[in-house]
Amino acid sequence: MNSVKRYSLFALIVLIVSYILWSVSDRNSVYSISETRLDRIVSEGKDQKKGNLLGISPWMIPSDYSSETAFREKLEFYFRKAEEKGWLDTKTVAVLPEYLGTWLVVANEKSSVYRSASIEEAMQTLVLSNLGSFTGNLVSAKGKDKIRDAVFRMKAETMLTIYRRTFSNLAKRYGITIVAGSILLPEPTVTEGVLKIGTGELRNGSFVFFADGTVSGNSPHKLYPIEEEKSFVSGASPESLQAVETPVGNIGVLVCADSWYPGVYKTFKKQNIKYVLVPSFVSPNGAMSGIWKGYNGSETPKDVNPKDIGVITEGKAWLKYALAGRMTDSGASYGINVFLRGSLWDLGSDGETILVRGADVKTFPKSESGSLVNVWID
């Protein structure tokens, strides 16, 4: 009997050691920059020395999130291209897409995470290789979907550090204002210009970095999470939506779905907003040519024509009911809507930059690449 117990103990020790070795192996790989797709470099208007808005939609793949170096180098590729064009100075406001920072959840993980065919497979590996941390965060998870909540919560410090350092350094290096792509973080706050996290609910925030590397305390959190987010992401109060003062005037930032609601534009008009910037993410591939199923996650506004639901395409709905169709109510002169593009596991992506100048709306032909769309302010 004692020999059986000793054998069982030995087997358990071997199992634990094997797990530890597996979980820590093949991490911290720095991937060389790849798939720097950039087929669209467009500029609208003439430089009147009044500043410019720059929409950056980088083409992202999983390995771009493998490390801080990989993430920074991928993004810097696009900023360097803009600099070569003469589009970056103290009066530049650059905007990047929704969820751009969110996939930093896989930073410093096993290389198999980046090679996974599906996001589900990638997350399973991430959880299994971080069981201790995952279990601890599962206990403190706030959302209904405690598994997703725990995954983002356990990687929050890593995500925050890479995101904050990357965009702070880019803003300082190029001397511009950056509306950084959004990121999911627990109870994010800005204290004396520094982005921090707490232990509260997850929020989807798009933080604004100034040329000195500090962050605006008026950076927005998403107000209207869609159904796919609501089980683990909390929406902010509409009263929290505030103007951000920049060298070119007040900007208002709406995180994706927020741009579909008329109330936000009325708020912006009271705040003397001059520019409305919208970071977005739409999936799967081909979503924009599919039939629009109506509002997702919150009550449909009264001005929406019910006959459009199930009839017009998703793309036409974006033009009619989001920024392009509603910006005039804000009193703003310019607006730009950018979409996250890339090949991120099996998620897919769709959408192209939408540019609004007064009552004029311009879209661009669909392209399977990153894009830079610049507009000069006149």
Side-chain angles (χ1 to χ4, degrees):
M1 183 65 70
N2 287 336
S3 63
V4 172
K5 288 183 178 179
R6 285 197 297 272
Y7 176 79
S8 298
L9 179 60
F10 176 74
L12 179 60
I13 292 172
V14 170
L15 183 63
I16 292 173
V17 171
S18 297
Y19 167 75
I20 292 173
L21 291 174
W22 172 80
S23 67
V24 300
S25 66
D26 197 23
R27 289 177 180 260
N28 301 318
S29 300
V30 177
Y31 285 75
S32 59
I33 191 168
S34 61
E35 289 200 45
T36 49
R37 302 186 189 183
L38 181 55
D39 296 338
R40 174 172 294 121
I41 304 178
V42 178
S43 186
E44 299 286 331
K46 295 182 179 179
D47 184 2
Q48 305 287 344
K49 307 302 179 184
K50 295 181 180 180
N52 61 306
L53 304 180
L54 176 63
I56 303 177
S57 294
W59 184 269
M60 303 298 289
I61 61 175
S63 60
D64 294 328
Y65 294 98
S66 62
S67 68
E68 181 172 349
T69 300
F71 185 66
R72 183 188 67 247
E73 287 187 356
K74 185 57 169 290
L75 294 182
E76 192 145 29
F77 166 79
Y78 294 94
F79 281 93
R80 283 198 302 268
K81 290 296 182 181
E83 183 182 42
E84 291 171 7
K85 287 290 186 179
W87 295 346
L88 303 183
D89 68 19
T90 56
K91 291 184 178 181
T92 298
V93 179
V95 55
L96 293 103
E98 183 187 30
Y99 272 26
L100 178 63
T102 294
W103 300 116
L104 287 169
V105 69
V106 300
N108 305 330
E109 292 298 329
K110 296 174 69 65
S111 62
S112 57
V113 168
Y114 317 117
R115 295 194 305 267
S116 296
S118 69
I119 185 63
E120 182 178 357
E121 180 185 335
M123 292 301 106
Q124 286 176 352
T125 301
L126 188 152
V127 168
L128 289 173
S129 57
N130 296 278
L131 273 179
S133 178
F134 173 76
T135 302
N137 282 280
L138 190 62
V139 173
S140 58
K142 308 292 183 184
K144 292 181 181 178
D145 187 337
K146 294 190 178 299
I147 292 177
R148 291 189 188 184
D149 186 304
V151 166
F152 285 102
R153 197 172 295 276
M154 78 172 179
K155 293 299 295 287
E157 287 287 354
T158 298
M159 295 168 67
L160 170 67
T161 299
I162 296 175
Y163 178 89
R164 183 174 60 196
R165 201 148 51 194
T166 296
F167 287 110
S168 179
N169 288 339
L170 285 171
K172 286 191 290 186
R173 175 168 181 173
Y174 294 105
I176 64 175
T177 301
I178 300 177
V179 179
S182 80
I183 184 171
L184 294 186
L185 292 171
E187 196 183 353
T189 56
V190 177
T191 304
E192 296 182 350
V194 179
L195 177 60
K196 300 180 179 181
I197 57 174
T199 58
E201 299 171 323
L202 293 177
R203 303 271 188 170
N204 183 0
S206 186
F207 296 90
V208 182
F209 290 76
F210 297 126
D212 62 357
T214 61
V215 181
S216 171
N218 286 349
S219 297
H221 299 168
K222 195 171 188 176
L223 308 177
Y224 301 101
I226 61 175
E227 287 298 336
E228 290 85 347
E229 297 173 306
K230 288 176 72 174
S231 62
F232 63 106
V233 179
S234 293
S237 165
E239 289 71 32
S240 67
L241 192 61
Q242 297 291 327
V244 177
E245 187 175 349
T246 76
V248 295
N250 288 346
I251 65 171
V253 182
L254 300 171
V255 183
C256 199
D258 293 352
S259 66
W260 289 67
Y261 295 87
V264 299
Y265 297 95
K266 295 176 182 177
T267 297
F268 281 167
K269 190 164 188 177
K270 294 176 183 177
Q271 296 176 356
N272 193 32
I273 295 294
K274 293 185 176 181
Y275 316 98
V276 181
L277 310 178
V278 183
S280 295
F281 174 55
V282 170
S283 67
N285 294 332
M288 288 298 197
S289 16
I291 296 299
W292 181 48
K293 298 177 182 178
Y295 274 65
N296 181 344
S298 296
E299 186 176 349
T300 301
K302 294 180 180 179
D303 65 350
V304 173
N305 184 350
K307 294 181 180 179
D308 285 338
I309 300 173
V311 177
I312 65 174
T313 65
E314 179 80 11
K316 287 184 178 179
W318 272 89
L319 293 175
K320 186 172 183 178
Y321 294 116
L323 174 72
R326 295 190 181 279
M327 196 187 80
T328 53
D329 292 337
S330 70
S333 303
Y334 292 83
I336 192 166
N337 189 173
V338 297
F339 294 83
L340 179 61
R341 299 305 313 277
S343 180
L344 294 167
W345 302 282
D346 59 342
L347 291 173
S349 67
D350 206 353
E352 288 297 335
T353 302
I354 299 170
L355 182 61
V356 186
R357 290 186 288 180
D360 296 328
V361 176
K362 184 166 186 176
T363 59
F364 301 87
K366 185 174 179 179
S367 172
E368 295 302 312
S369 77
S371 71
L372 295 175
V373 176
N374 177 69
V375 58
W376 295 108
I377 296 166
D378 57 23

